[in-house]
Amino acid sequence: MHFRSALYSLGLLASAAFVNAAPLKARQSGVPKVVVAHHIVGLTAAFTVDDWTSDIQLAQANGIDGFALNVGNDPFTNQQAQNAYQAAEQLNSNFKLFFSLDMSSFPCTTPDDATTLRNLVTQFASRPAQLQVDGKAFVSTFAGESCTFGSGDVPSGWRSQFTQHPDTSGKIHFVPSFFVDPATFNTFTGVMDGDFNFNSGWPLTLSAAQAPQLLPGVDLNNVNAAGEAALQKFIGSFDTDNQHITQLATVQGSAQTYMAAVAPWFFTHFGADTFNKNFVFDGDEHLWVARWENVIANRDKVSLVEIVTWNDFGESHYIGPNNHGQLPPGSEAWVNGFDHQGFLDLTNYFATQFKTGQAPAITKDQLVMWARPHPKNATPNDPVGAPKDFQLFQDKLWAVVLATADGSLTLATSDTTSQTFDVKQGVNKLSLDLTPGGFMHGTLTRNGQTVIDLKPDDYTFNPNPTAFNYNAFVASASSQ
């Protein structure tokens, strides 16, 4: 469970098998693309090999080629890494793994701290399930921009104690997520083979404070078509990716491997007595799909996509099962009952398009709907308080249809609030205002016949909640 805000100017904030095992060269035409999901090992203390097998099979069935194993300074890190690699290798399905070293957890002030990281990485570097790039073990990070490992500065520390150390030199392909101004990337010569832009999946430039300047004339309590068009310039945007890619090219000797992030949502609500994180990022305007579409449109610039995340329950951007693994204490209040596997159901379509450059044939109709559980301006007696930037959200039901052919979708949020939309073959993004006390209901019809009828019994848009919850309730159904 983690988020790290970029520490630079606002303008820069920020069953499928593995696609051949050929070495990756960033942004080279014809080189296979890879889609992985960020899996937080810190929430898997009790996992068995079978648990890892279950997650791997589910991910791979939905177009995901591997897991980025986010590992930290936990006593079970090595054992769970062993379990994950064993599960992938027993399946023998070409599912790949690599470490995302969580430098918000690992200490990194002394040479001995670097020894710990090198030992972990080299222990698994030659395992059959390890993702290899140009014959080297792929390694990433979450953070690390403050690590010196006893050297005089951060680049020297990573260079002398990790990437160019005799234990690892020539053996790893290092694509970290350093939360720094990309203009400083050129100081990381000999360190960065590439860059992972962890925050690129969310519109971090959007905040309630900046909205009047960024969205002039837009009423966030009543967003019209012009307002939606203005929001869509930010939500899912590729702007920060372009900034990172441009600056990565200034790193001498870098392979320029660029890894973009896609994310479905973000809400966290921990009080000062726990993790002291209480904020949202705007996930409206069909963020999950919009971001995928923009990454796909720029796929020639991107080598890998990392889904953020498989299981970060505390920050509400999970797409894996919400009942598989530990919940950070307190997060059960907004995670239990809020399954996100509808987002996972859409993943195969977009992951396949990213990897191949072609939209795959849609062989069954799919309907995915999501909405928050209470009005954004609700006022529960919640001691933690309202999350920062909640004002950005819209009280709408969001729907996506992957349609095999033209048809009609009727959305309803109460017995008296409904709208029927024309649906075209392919991807359709639709929405309808939510109704306090109401529900979510979607009906896909074609040629006078009902194809999908989806109305989850356990969803109500509650106008009087007892606590703030800006997580997404996701429902999904298909025609087969």
Side-chain angles (χ1 to χ4, degrees), residues 125-383:
S126 60
R127 293 284 292 263
Q130 169 67 44
L131 176 62
Q132 301 283 339
V133 175
D134 293 336
K136 303 172 185 177
F138 189 93
V139 181
S140 186
T141 74
F142 174 82
E145 66 282 351
S146 300
C147 296
T148 62
F149 302 109
S151 297
D153 57 70
V154 171
S156 296
W158 280 106
R159 189 162 42 242
S160 65
Q161 295 298 322
F162 194 68
T163 59
Q164 303 301 321
H165 190 277
D167 290 351
T168 48
S169 179
K171 301 175 184 177
I172 62 172
H173 190 88
F174 192 47
V175 182
S177 181
F178 292 156
F179 298 102
V180 297
D181 184 340
T184 67
F185 282 179
N186 60 6
T187 66
F188 287 93
T189 296
V191 176
M192 294 175 63
D193 293 307
D195 169 50
F196 172 36
N197 191 355
F198 184 93
N199 285 338
S200 60
W202 300 289
L204 265 64
T205 51
L206 276 180
S207 67
Q210 289 292 321
Q213 289 75 41
L214 297 174
L215 304 167
V218 175
D219 179 1
L220 290 172
N221 289 311
N222 186 22
V223 178
N224 57 20
E228 288 195 340
L231 282 164
Q232 288 163 7
K233 293 178 181 179
F234 294 92
I235 295 177
S237 167
F238 202 75
D239 289 349
T240 67
D241 303 87
N242 281 326
Q243 293 160 0
H244 278 239
I245 291 165
T246 297
Q247 296 302 324
L248 183 59
T250 70
V251 182
Q252 293 184 3
S254 171
Q256 299 183 43
T257 302
Y258 182 69
M259 183 157 62
V262 295
W265 202 256
F266 193 108
F267 162 64
T268 189
H269 191 55
F270 292 104
D273 57 333
T274 56
F275 299 103
N276 197 26
K277 302 192 306 180
N278 186 29
F279 56 96
V280 305
F281 298 141
D282 196 346
D284 286 348
E285 299 299 333
H286 307 91
L287 169 66
W288 182 235
V289 173
R291 176 61 178 166
W292 269 113
E293 290 175 333
N294 280 324
V295 169
I296 290 165
N298 291 277
R299 66 185 294 275
D300 288 345
K301 304 176 183 179
V302 180
S303 295
L304 302 93
V305 169
E306 185 164 321
I307 295 167
V308 180
T309 59
W310 181 262
N311 64 335
D312 194 334
F313 308 118
E315 294 180 352
S316 308
H317 43 73
Y318 51 94
I319 66 168
N322 66 336
N323 60 353
H324 199 208
Q326 299 166 248
L327 295 181
S331 65
E332 62 277 357
W334 62 88
V335 175
N336 288 346
F338 287 77
D339 185 272
H340 282 188
Q341 288 185 81
F343 292 134
L344 181 63
D345 292 341
L346 294 172
T347 301
N348 192 47
Y349 178 86
F350 295 104
T352 299
Q353 188 173 2
F354 167 74
K355 287 181 281 189
T356 66
Q358 300 293 324
I362 298 173
T363 58
K364 62 180 180 181
D365 295 287
Q366 287 182 275
L367 169 61
V368 180
M369 305 185 298
W370 63 95
R372 293 177 292 96
H374 65 69
K376 73 173 184 180
N377 292 319
T379 56
N381 184 19
D382 185 334

